[in-house]
Amino acid sequence: MSSTSAFSPPSTFFADEPFFTQKQGELVPAPHARGPWSPDMLHGRLLGGLAAHAIERDHAQPGLHFARLTVDLFRNSPMLPVTVETSLVRDGRRIRVADATISTDQGVIGRASVVMLRQSDQSDGRQSIVTPSWDERPPQSPPAREEGWTPPFELWRMTAWGEPGPGRMWMREMYPLVEGEPLTPFVRVALAADFASPLSNAGPDGLRFINADYTLTLARLPAGDLVGMESTGHLNADGVATGQVTLHDTAGPIGFCLVTAVANATPIGR
């Protein structure tokens, strides 16, 4: 489970310092890989990024598009070395499915599944409904400093957390995920997708629901290094919630992200 809060990690890092270095088959976290809840806890969004990275490395193929990524976050992880193992589940003419298991020496902390679909000629038929582009311009200046928390990425809030109406934000990664490897568009959007939870689940008094998973669906990968999100739905009953966002790049909408979440008795952050 993952989100944001008021913990303020050190900001004395270099822009080329990765979140993880590779040592003896493990991914060793750097100090800025810590999450917002506790100084000794990994940020949950990085686990989805690692799963996307491993599946792309092991199972990507030209002509296959990353159409869906589902990430299940079983438990919070301490700042321990991580291993990611992948397996090919299905390899057909038009579909490939691969899974990833994310572990530390304390056991499995998460899993992920990716569906890749074969790209082809676009149909000429008209759609009954098409998600429109939003009217938010890309950021033109550095982001405002987050109150009480300095995130290890750039975050532009276009709306305040929890205010009435759709929440909007842009974000951009500042650090490589894995030592020696550039961020790919798929890994970049996998990292961003975790913020579907605070964006769709936040209320005026803070975050009352903590996500247990997210499912990212993509019509195309993001172009450029900016990923935007707009919250487009939230429902809750009996302590369980579901929320959704639409994802954008500077050219328009690219996909959706759906999260499930469980109630937290005390609202967290703002």
Side-chain angles (χ1 to χ4, degrees), residues 162-198:
E163 73 176 20
R168 291 180 170 186
M169 57 171 275
W170 287 102
M171 69 180 300
R172 177 165 54 201
E173 295 298 327
M174 297 168 57
Y175 302 99
L177 179 64
V178 176
E179 177 185 25
E181 301 186 24
L183 283 178
T184 66
F186 181 50
V187 173
R188 186 180 301 279
V189 73
L191 288 166
D194 181 75
F195 275 80
S197 177

PDB file of all heavy atoms in Angstrom, residues 162-198:
ATOM      1  N   GLY A 162      -7.703  17.171  -2.499  1.00  0.00           N
ATOM      2  CA  GLY A 162      -8.980  17.044  -1.811  1.00  0.00           C
ATOM      3  C   GLY A 162      -9.974  18.149  -2.049  1.00  0.00           C
ATOM      4  O   GLY A 162     -11.087  18.087  -1.523  1.00  0.00           O
ATOM      5  N   GLU A 163      -9.644  19.154  -2.854  1.00  0.00           N
ATOM      6  CA  GLU A 163     -10.635  20.196  -3.104  1.00  0.00           C
ATOM      7  C   GLU A 163     -11.732  19.653  -4.009  1.00  0.00           C
ATOM      8  O   GLU A 163     -11.528  18.678  -4.743  1.00  0.00           O
ATOM      9  CB  GLU A 163      -9.983  21.434  -3.715  1.00  0.00           C
ATOM     10  CG  GLU A 163      -9.554  21.279  -5.156  1.00  0.00           C
ATOM     11  CD  GLU A 163      -9.001  22.570  -5.741  1.00  0.00           C
ATOM     12  OE1 GLU A 163      -8.604  23.466  -4.970  1.00  0.00           O
ATOM     13  OE2 GLU A 163      -8.970  22.680  -6.988  1.00  0.00           O
ATOM     14  N   PRO A 164     -12.953  20.215  -3.966  1.00  0.00           N
ATOM     15  CA  PRO A 164     -14.056  19.693  -4.777  1.00  0.00           C
ATOM     16  C   PRO A 164     -13.712  19.701  -6.270  1.00  0.00           C
ATOM     17  O   PRO A 164     -13.034  20.601  -6.757  1.00  0.00           O
ATOM     18  CB  PRO A 164     -15.200  20.661  -4.471  1.00  0.00           C
ATOM     19  CG  PRO A 164     -14.881  21.228  -3.136  1.00  0.00           C
ATOM     20  CD  PRO A 164     -13.380  21.324  -3.089  1.00  0.00           C
ATOM     21  N   GLY A 165     -14.187  18.672  -6.955  1.00  0.00           N
ATOM     22  CA  GLY A 165     -13.954  18.575  -8.390  1.00  0.00           C
ATOM     23  C   GLY A 165     -12.735  17.729  -8.723  1.00  0.00           C
ATOM     24  O   GLY A 165     -12.002  17.280  -7.833  1.00  0.00           O
ATOM     25  N   PRO A 166     -12.491  17.495  -9.997  1.00  0.00           N
ATOM     26  CA  PRO A 166     -11.366  16.656 -10.408  1.00  0.00           C
ATOM     27  C   PRO A 166     -10.027  17.240  -9.974  1.00  0.00           C
ATOM     28  O   PRO A 166      -9.773  18.426 -10.122  1.00  0.00           O
ATOM     29  CB  PRO A 166     -11.483  16.649 -11.943  1.00  0.00           C
ATOM     30  CG  PRO A 166     -12.907  17.003 -12.233  1.00  0.00           C
ATOM     31  CD  PRO A 166     -13.314  17.945 -11.146  1.00  0.00           C
ATOM     32  N   GLY A 167      -9.190  16.374  -9.389  1.00  0.00           N
ATOM     33  CA  GLY A 167      -7.833  16.775  -9.041  1.00  0.00           C
ATOM     34  C   GLY A 167      -6.921  16.611 -10.243  1.00  0.00           C
ATOM     35  O   GLY A 167      -7.074  15.683 -11.043  1.00  0.00           O
ATOM     36  N   ARG A 168      -5.955  17.522 -10.372  1.00  0.00           N
ATOM     37  CA  ARG A 168      -5.053  17.492 -11.512  1.00  0.00           C
ATOM     38  C   ARG A 168      -3.613  17.711 -11.062  1.00  0.00           C
ATOM     39  O   ARG A 168      -3.355  18.470 -10.137  1.00  0.00           O
ATOM     40  CB  ARG A 168      -5.435  18.577 -12.527  1.00  0.00           C
ATOM     41  CG  ARG A 168      -6.755  18.314 -13.248  1.00  0.00           C
ATOM     42  CD  ARG A 168      -7.055  19.436 -14.238  1.00  0.00           C
ATOM     43  NE  ARG A 168      -8.167  19.110 -15.111  1.00  0.00           N
ATOM     44  CZ  ARG A 168      -8.560  19.860 -16.147  1.00  0.00           C
ATOM     45  NH1 ARG A 168      -7.910  20.995 -16.415  1.00  0.00           N
ATOM     46  NH2 ARG A 168      -9.574  19.492 -16.905  1.00  0.00           N
ATOM     47  N   MET A 169      -2.683  17.072 -11.776  1.00  0.00           N
ATOM     48  CA  MET A 169      -1.267  17.219 -11.478  1.00  0.00           C
ATOM     49  C   MET A 169      -0.437  16.831 -12.687  1.00  0.00           C
ATOM     50  O   MET A 169      -0.881  16.081 -13.559  1.00  0.00           O
ATOM     51  CB  MET A 169      -0.859  16.339 -10.292  1.00  0.00           C
ATOM     52  CG  MET A 169      -1.162  14.869 -10.485  1.00  0.00           C
ATOM     53  SD  MET A 169      -0.464  13.792  -9.211  1.00  0.00           S
ATOM     54  CE  MET A 169       1.181  13.567  -9.868  1.00  0.00           C
ATOM     55  N   TRP A 170       0.779  17.378 -12.757  1.00  0.00           N
ATOM     56  CA  TRP A 170       1.826  16.917 -13.661  1.00  0.00           C
ATOM     57  C   TRP A 170       2.972  16.386 -12.798  1.00  0.00           C
ATOM     58  O   TRP A 170       3.206  16.892 -11.700  1.00  0.00           O
ATOM     59  CB  TRP A 170       2.380  18.063 -14.508  1.00  0.00           C
ATOM     60  CG  TRP A 170       1.506  18.586 -15.601  1.00  0.00           C
ATOM     61  CD1 TRP A 170       0.757  19.734 -15.565  1.00  0.00           C
ATOM     62  CD2 TRP A 170       1.312  18.017 -16.899  1.00  0.00           C
ATOM     63  NE1 TRP A 170       0.099  19.905 -16.769  1.00  0.00           N
ATOM     64  CE2 TRP A 170       0.430  18.869 -17.604  1.00  0.00           C
ATOM     65  CE3 TRP A 170       1.800  16.871 -17.530  1.00  0.00           C
ATOM     66  CZ2 TRP A 170       0.029  18.616 -18.909  1.00  0.00           C
ATOM     67  CZ3 TRP A 170       1.401  16.615 -18.834  1.00  0.00           C
ATOM     68  CH2 TRP A 170       0.525  17.472 -19.509  1.00  0.00           C
ATOM     69  N   MET A 171       3.715  15.411 -13.308  1.00  0.00           N
ATOM     70  CA  MET A 171       4.909  14.968 -12.601  1.00  0.00           C
ATOM     71  C   MET A 171       5.996  14.574 -13.586  1.00  0.00           C
ATOM     72  O   MET A 171       5.722  14.240 -14.752  1.00  0.00           O
ATOM     73  CB  MET A 171       4.608  13.833 -11.627  1.00  0.00           C
ATOM     74  CG  MET A 171       4.228  12.514 -12.245  1.00  0.00           C
ATOM     75  SD  MET A 171       3.913  11.260 -10.969  1.00  0.00           S
ATOM     76  CE  MET A 171       5.487  11.182 -10.128  1.00  0.00           C
ATOM     77  N   ARG A 172       7.224  14.655 -13.114  1.00  0.00           N
ATOM     78  CA  ARG A 172       8.385  14.296 -13.937  1.00  0.00           C
ATOM     79  C   ARG A 172       9.446  13.672 -13.039  1.00  0.00           C
ATOM     80  O   ARG A 172       9.761  14.204 -11.972  1.00  0.00           O
ATOM     81  CB  ARG A 172       8.934  15.529 -14.642  1.00  0.00           C
ATOM     82  CG  ARG A 172      10.204  15.257 -15.467  1.00  0.00           C
ATOM     83  CD  ARG A 172      10.502  16.383 -16.432  1.00  0.00           C
ATOM     84  NE  ARG A 172      10.580  17.674 -15.768  1.00  0.00           N
ATOM     85  CZ  ARG A 172      10.432  18.840 -16.399  1.00  0.00           C
ATOM     86  NH1 ARG A 172      10.152  18.867 -17.685  1.00  0.00           N
ATOM     87  NH2 ARG A 172      10.549  19.972 -15.726  1.00  0.00           N
ATOM     88  N   GLU A 173      10.008  12.564 -13.481  1.00  0.00           N
ATOM     89  CA  GLU A 173      11.039  11.886 -12.707  1.00  0.00           C
ATOM     90  C   GLU A 173      12.350  12.674 -12.745  1.00  0.00           C
ATOM     91  O   GLU A 173      12.687  13.294 -13.756  1.00  0.00           O
ATOM     92  CB  GLU A 173      11.274  10.474 -13.245  1.00  0.00           C
ATOM     93  CG  GLU A 173      10.079   9.549 -13.095  1.00  0.00           C
ATOM     94  CD  GLU A 173       9.678   9.320 -11.654  1.00  0.00           C
ATOM     95  OE1 GLU A 173      10.573   9.306 -10.775  1.00  0.00           O
ATOM     96  OE2 GLU A 173       8.476   9.174 -11.400  1.00  0.00           O
ATOM     97  N   MET A 174      13.089  12.627 -11.640  1.00  0.00           N
ATOM     98  CA  MET A 174      14.375  13.311 -11.518  1.00  0.00           C
ATOM     99  C   MET A 174      15.553  12.343 -11.508  1.00  0.00           C
ATOM    100  O   MET A 174      16.678  12.747 -11.805  1.00  0.00           O
ATOM    101  CB  MET A 174      14.398  14.131 -10.224  1.00  0.00           C
ATOM    102  CG  MET A 174      13.375  15.240 -10.166  1.00  0.00           C
ATOM    103  SD  MET A 174      13.222  15.952  -8.498  1.00  0.00           S
ATOM    104  CE  MET A 174      14.902  16.479  -8.169  1.00  0.00           C
ATOM    105  N   TYR A 175      15.319  11.080 -11.135  1.00  0.00           N
ATOM    106  CA  TYR A 175      16.400  10.127 -10.948  1.00  0.00           C
ATOM    107  C   TYR A 175      16.169   8.873 -11.784  1.00  0.00           C
ATOM    108  O   TYR A 175      15.020   8.469 -12.006  1.00  0.00           O
ATOM    109  CB  TYR A 175      16.495   9.707  -9.475  1.00  0.00           C
ATOM    110  CG  TYR A 175      16.705  10.842  -8.517  1.00  0.00           C
ATOM    111  CD1 TYR A 175      15.640  11.379  -7.807  1.00  0.00           C
ATOM    112  CD2 TYR A 175      17.974  11.375  -8.315  1.00  0.00           C
ATOM    113  CE1 TYR A 175      15.829  12.426  -6.917  1.00  0.00           C
ATOM    114  CE2 TYR A 175      18.180  12.420  -7.430  1.00  0.00           C
ATOM    115  CZ  TYR A 175      17.098  12.942  -6.728  1.00  0.00           C
ATOM    116  OH  TYR A 175      17.287  13.971  -5.854  1.00  0.00           O
ATOM    117  N   PRO A 176      17.254   8.218 -12.227  1.00  0.00           N
ATOM    118  CA  PRO A 176      17.094   6.892 -12.835  1.00  0.00           C
ATOM    119  C   PRO A 176      16.508   5.919 -11.810  1.00  0.00           C
ATOM    120  O   PRO A 176      16.737   6.063 -10.611  1.00  0.00           O
ATOM    121  CB  PRO A 176      18.517   6.497 -13.232  1.00  0.00           C
ATOM    122  CG  PRO A 176      19.308   7.766 -13.213  1.00  0.00           C
ATOM    123  CD  PRO A 176      18.664   8.641 -12.193  1.00  0.00           C
ATOM    124  N   LEU A 177      15.785   4.923 -12.285  1.00  0.00           N
ATOM    125  CA  LEU A 177      15.259   3.908 -11.373  1.00  0.00           C
ATOM    126  C   LEU A 177      16.339   2.901 -11.012  1.00  0.00           C
ATOM    127  O   LEU A 177      16.550   2.600  -9.834  1.00  0.00           O
ATOM    128  CB  LEU A 177      14.070   3.190 -12.019  1.00  0.00           C
ATOM    129  CG  LEU A 177      13.420   2.079 -11.183  1.00  0.00           C
ATOM    130  CD1 LEU A 177      12.813   2.654  -9.909  1.00  0.00           C
ATOM    131  CD2 LEU A 177      12.368   1.329 -12.003  1.00  0.00           C
ATOM    132  N   VAL A 178      17.032   2.380 -12.024  1.00  0.00           N
ATOM    133  CA  VAL A 178      18.051   1.355 -11.828  1.00  0.00           C
ATOM    134  C   VAL A 178      19.372   1.859 -12.396  1.00  0.00           C
ATOM    135  O   VAL A 178      19.408   2.442 -13.489  1.00  0.00           O
ATOM    136  CB  VAL A 178      17.642   0.030 -12.502  1.00  0.00           C
ATOM    137  CG1 VAL A 178      18.748  -1.014 -12.375  1.00  0.00           C
ATOM    138  CG2 VAL A 178      16.340  -0.505 -11.899  1.00  0.00           C
ATOM    139  N   GLU A 179      20.419   1.637 -11.682  1.00  0.00           N
ATOM    140  CA  GLU A 179      21.749   2.101 -12.057  1.00  0.00           C
ATOM    141  C   GLU A 179      22.108   1.712 -13.493  1.00  0.00           C
ATOM    142  O   GLU A 179      21.968   0.561 -13.904  1.00  0.00           O
ATOM    143  CB  GLU A 179      22.782   1.490 -11.100  1.00  0.00           C
ATOM    144  CG  GLU A 179      24.224   1.828 -11.403  1.00  0.00           C
ATOM    145  CD  GLU A 179      25.180   1.080 -10.494  1.00  0.00           C
ATOM    146  OE1 GLU A 179      24.804   0.001  -9.992  1.00  0.00           O
ATOM    147  OE2 GLU A 179      26.302   1.584 -10.290  1.00  0.00           O
ATOM    148  N   GLY A 180      22.550   2.695 -14.272  1.00  0.00           N
ATOM    149  CA  GLY A 180      23.045   2.436 -15.616  1.00  0.00           C
ATOM    150  C   GLY A 180      21.981   2.246 -16.676  1.00  0.00           C
ATOM    151  O   GLY A 180      22.329   1.949 -17.822  1.00  0.00           O
ATOM    152  N   GLU A 181      20.716   2.407 -16.331  1.00  0.00           N
ATOM    153  CA  GLU A 181      19.640   2.163 -17.284  1.00  0.00           C
ATOM    154  C   GLU A 181      18.703   3.369 -17.344  1.00  0.00           C
ATOM    155  O   GLU A 181      18.159   3.778 -16.314  1.00  0.00           O
ATOM    156  CB  GLU A 181      18.866   0.895 -16.907  1.00  0.00           C
ATOM    157  CG  GLU A 181      19.768  -0.331 -16.860  1.00  0.00           C
ATOM    158  CD  GLU A 181      18.985  -1.611 -16.631  1.00  0.00           C
ATOM    159  OE1 GLU A 181      17.790  -1.642 -16.957  1.00  0.00           O
ATOM    160  OE2 GLU A 181      19.589  -2.579 -16.116  1.00  0.00           O
ATOM    161  N   PRO A 182      18.516   3.940 -18.537  1.00  0.00           N
ATOM    162  CA  PRO A 182      17.628   5.102 -18.656  1.00  0.00           C
ATOM    163  C   PRO A 182      16.171   4.698 -18.443  1.00  0.00           C
ATOM    164  O   PRO A 182      15.786   3.539 -18.651  1.00  0.00           O
ATOM    165  CB  PRO A 182      17.862   5.584 -20.096  1.00  0.00           C
ATOM    166  CG  PRO A 182      18.312   4.351 -20.828  1.00  0.00           C
ATOM    167  CD  PRO A 182      19.093   3.548 -19.834  1.00  0.00           C
ATOM    168  N   LEU A 183      15.378   5.665 -18.005  1.00  0.00           N
ATOM    169  CA  LEU A 183      13.945   5.423 -17.855  1.00  0.00           C
ATOM    170  C   LEU A 183      13.296   5.289 -19.225  1.00  0.00           C
ATOM    171  O   LEU A 183      13.459   6.155 -20.089  1.00  0.00           O
ATOM    172  CB  LEU A 183      13.274   6.576 -17.100  1.00  0.00           C
ATOM    173  CG  LEU A 183      13.452   6.649 -15.590  1.00  0.00           C
ATOM    174  CD1 LEU A 183      12.754   7.891 -15.061  1.00  0.00           C
ATOM    175  CD2 LEU A 183      12.890   5.412 -14.920  1.00  0.00           C
ATOM    176  N   THR A 184      12.545   4.224 -19.423  1.00  0.00           N
ATOM    177  CA  THR A 184      11.767   4.062 -20.653  1.00  0.00           C
ATOM    178  C   THR A 184      10.380   4.672 -20.450  1.00  0.00           C
ATOM    179  O   THR A 184       9.943   4.891 -19.313  1.00  0.00           O
ATOM    180  CB  THR A 184      11.619   2.584 -21.012  1.00  0.00           C
ATOM    181  OG1 THR A 184      10.820   1.938 -19.990  1.00  0.00           O
ATOM    182  CG2 THR A 184      12.980   1.896 -21.117  1.00  0.00           C
ATOM    183  N   PRO A 185       9.655   4.953 -21.528  1.00  0.00           N
ATOM    184  CA  PRO A 185       8.298   5.478 -21.364  1.00  0.00           C
ATOM    185  C   PRO A 185       7.399   4.572 -20.522  1.00  0.00           C
ATOM    186  O   PRO A 185       6.585   5.064 -19.730  1.00  0.00           O
ATOM    187  CB  PRO A 185       7.790   5.593 -22.803  1.00  0.00           C
ATOM    188  CG  PRO A 185       9.030   5.819 -23.617  1.00  0.00           C
ATOM    189  CD  PRO A 185      10.080   4.966 -22.946  1.00  0.00           C
ATOM    190  N   PHE A 186       7.532   3.248 -20.654  1.00  0.00           N
ATOM    191  CA  PHE A 186       6.689   2.337 -19.894  1.00  0.00           C
ATOM    192  C   PHE A 186       7.003   2.404 -18.404  1.00  0.00           C
ATOM    193  O   PHE A 186       6.101   2.468 -17.560  1.00  0.00           O
ATOM    194  CB  PHE A 186       6.868   0.908 -20.411  1.00  0.00           C
ATOM    195  CG  PHE A 186       6.009  -0.120 -19.703  1.00  0.00           C
ATOM    196  CD1 PHE A 186       4.654   0.090 -19.534  1.00  0.00           C
ATOM    197  CD2 PHE A 186       6.571  -1.291 -19.220  1.00  0.00           C
ATOM    198  CE1 PHE A 186       3.853  -0.856 -18.882  1.00  0.00           C
ATOM    199  CE2 PHE A 186       5.783  -2.237 -18.576  1.00  0.00           C
ATOM    200  CZ  PHE A 186       4.424  -2.014 -18.410  1.00  0.00           C
ATOM    201  N   VAL A 187       8.277   2.413 -18.058  1.00  0.00           N
ATOM    202  CA  VAL A 187       8.654   2.512 -16.644  1.00  0.00           C
ATOM    203  C   VAL A 187       8.249   3.870 -16.085  1.00  0.00           C
ATOM    204  O   VAL A 187       7.765   3.973 -14.950  1.00  0.00           O
ATOM    205  CB  VAL A 187      10.159   2.261 -16.473  1.00  0.00           C
ATOM    206  CG1 VAL A 187      10.589   2.533 -15.036  1.00  0.00           C
ATOM    207  CG2 VAL A 187      10.505   0.824 -16.853  1.00  0.00           C
ATOM    208  N   ARG A 188       8.398   4.917 -16.858  1.00  0.00           N
ATOM    209  CA  ARG A 188       8.035   6.263 -16.402  1.00  0.00           C
ATOM    210  C   ARG A 188       6.560   6.331 -16.029  1.00  0.00           C
ATOM    211  O   ARG A 188       6.189   6.856 -14.975  1.00  0.00           O
ATOM    212  CB  ARG A 188       8.350   7.277 -17.506  1.00  0.00           C
ATOM    213  CG  ARG A 188       8.160   8.720 -17.095  1.00  0.00           C
ATOM    214  CD  ARG A 188       8.489   9.661 -18.259  1.00  0.00           C
ATOM    215  NE  ARG A 188       9.847   9.497 -18.719  1.00  0.00           N
ATOM    216  CZ  ARG A 188      10.915  10.042 -18.151  1.00  0.00           C
ATOM    217  NH1 ARG A 188      10.748  10.796 -17.065  1.00  0.00           N
ATOM    218  NH2 ARG A 188      12.112   9.848 -18.646  1.00  0.00           N
ATOM    219  N   VAL A 189       5.689   5.790 -16.863  1.00  0.00           N
ATOM    220  CA  VAL A 189       4.258   5.872 -16.573  1.00  0.00           C
ATOM    221  C   VAL A 189       3.867   4.895 -15.476  1.00  0.00           C
ATOM    222  O   VAL A 189       2.937   5.158 -14.701  1.00  0.00           O
ATOM    223  CB  VAL A 189       3.424   5.666 -17.852  1.00  0.00           C
ATOM    224  CG1 VAL A 189       3.430   4.215 -18.316  1.00  0.00           C
ATOM    225  CG2 VAL A 189       1.994   6.164 -17.673  1.00  0.00           C
ATOM    226  N   ALA A 190       4.587   3.786 -15.339  1.00  0.00           N
ATOM    227  CA  ALA A 190       4.330   2.860 -14.232  1.00  0.00           C
ATOM    228  C   ALA A 190       4.642   3.511 -12.893  1.00  0.00           C
ATOM    229  O   ALA A 190       3.923   3.307 -11.902  1.00  0.00           O
ATOM    230  CB  ALA A 190       5.149   1.586 -14.405  1.00  0.00           C
ATOM    231  N   LEU A 191       5.699   4.297 -12.827  1.00  0.00           N
ATOM    232  CA  LEU A 191       6.031   5.025 -11.602  1.00  0.00           C
ATOM    233  C   LEU A 191       4.969   6.074 -11.287  1.00  0.00           C
ATOM    234  O   LEU A 191       4.560   6.252 -10.141  1.00  0.00           O
ATOM    235  CB  LEU A 191       7.391   5.706 -11.751  1.00  0.00           C
ATOM    236  CG  LEU A 191       8.620   4.793 -11.737  1.00  0.00           C
ATOM    237  CD1 LEU A 191       9.846   5.554 -12.225  1.00  0.00           C
ATOM    238  CD2 LEU A 191       8.870   4.239 -10.348  1.00  0.00           C
ATOM    239  N   ALA A 192       4.514   6.783 -12.308  1.00  0.00           N
ATOM    240  CA  ALA A 192       3.519   7.840 -12.098  1.00  0.00           C
ATOM    241  C   ALA A 192       2.183   7.284 -11.648  1.00  0.00           C
ATOM    242  O   ALA A 192       1.457   7.919 -10.871  1.00  0.00           O
ATOM    243  CB  ALA A 192       3.346   8.649 -13.383  1.00  0.00           C
ATOM    244  N   ALA A 193       1.833   6.088 -12.108  1.00  0.00           N
ATOM    245  CA  ALA A 193       0.481   5.557 -11.903  1.00  0.00           C
ATOM    246  C   ALA A 193       0.120   5.387 -10.440  1.00  0.00           C
ATOM    247  O   ALA A 193      -1.068   5.449 -10.078  1.00  0.00           O
ATOM    248  CB  ALA A 193       0.333   4.227 -12.640  1.00  0.00           C
ATOM    249  N   ASP A 194       1.087   5.186  -9.577  1.00  0.00           N
ATOM    250  CA  ASP A 194       0.805   5.018  -8.149  1.00  0.00           C
ATOM    251  C   ASP A 194       0.075   6.233  -7.576  1.00  0.00           C
ATOM    252  O   ASP A 194      -0.672   6.112  -6.603  1.00  0.00           O
ATOM    253  CB  ASP A 194       2.107   4.782  -7.396  1.00  0.00           C
ATOM    254  CG  ASP A 194       1.907   4.564  -5.908  1.00  0.00           C
ATOM    255  OD1 ASP A 194       1.459   3.469  -5.535  1.00  0.00           O
ATOM    256  OD2 ASP A 194       2.189   5.489  -5.127  1.00  0.00           O
ATOM    257  N   PHE A 195       0.243   7.410  -8.179  1.00  0.00           N
ATOM    258  CA  PHE A 195      -0.400   8.610  -7.673  1.00  0.00           C
ATOM    259  C   PHE A 195      -1.870   8.693  -8.033  1.00  0.00           C
ATOM    260  O   PHE A 195      -2.552   9.654  -7.649  1.00  0.00           O
ATOM    261  CB  PHE A 195       0.354   9.856  -8.135  1.00  0.00           C
ATOM    262  CG  PHE A 195       1.494  10.183  -7.223  1.00  0.00           C
ATOM    263  CD1 PHE A 195       2.695   9.504  -7.338  1.00  0.00           C
ATOM    264  CD2 PHE A 195       1.356  11.112  -6.214  1.00  0.00           C
ATOM    265  CE1 PHE A 195       3.735   9.754  -6.477  1.00  0.00           C
ATOM    266  CE2 PHE A 195       2.391  11.375  -5.339  1.00  0.00           C
ATOM    267  CZ  PHE A 195       3.585  10.693  -5.469  1.00  0.00           C
ATOM    268  N   ALA A 196      -2.388   7.690  -8.725  1.00  0.00           N
ATOM    269  CA  ALA A 196      -3.836   7.610  -8.919  1.00  0.00           C
ATOM    270  C   ALA A 196      -4.563   7.495  -7.589  1.00  0.00           C
ATOM    271  O   ALA A 196      -5.696   7.963  -7.450  1.00  0.00           O
ATOM    272  CB  ALA A 196      -4.185   6.418  -9.811  1.00  0.00           C
ATOM    273  N   SER A 197      -3.915   6.889  -6.594  1.00  0.00           N
ATOM    274  CA  SER A 197      -4.579   6.719  -5.307  1.00  0.00           C
ATOM    275  C   SER A 197      -4.764   8.029  -4.550  1.00  0.00           C
ATOM    276  O   SER A 197      -5.894   8.393  -4.225  1.00  0.00           O
ATOM    277  CB  SER A 197      -3.819   5.709  -4.435  1.00  0.00           C
ATOM    278  OG  SER A 197      -4.424   5.607  -3.166  1.00  0.00           O
ATOM    279  N   PRO A 198      -3.709   8.786  -4.218  1.00  0.00           N
ATOM    280  CA  PRO A 198      -3.971  10.037  -3.510  1.00  0.00           C
ATOM    281  C   PRO A 198      -4.789  11.019  -4.322  1.00  0.00           C
ATOM    282  O   PRO A 198      -5.565  11.797  -3.756  1.00  0.00           O
ATOM    283  CB  PRO A 198      -2.569  10.572  -3.219  1.00  0.00           C
ATOM    284  CG  PRO A 198      -1.670   9.888  -4.170  1.00  0.00           C
ATOM    285  CD  PRO A 198      -2.260   8.539  -4.393  1.00  0.00           C
TER     286      PRO A 198
END
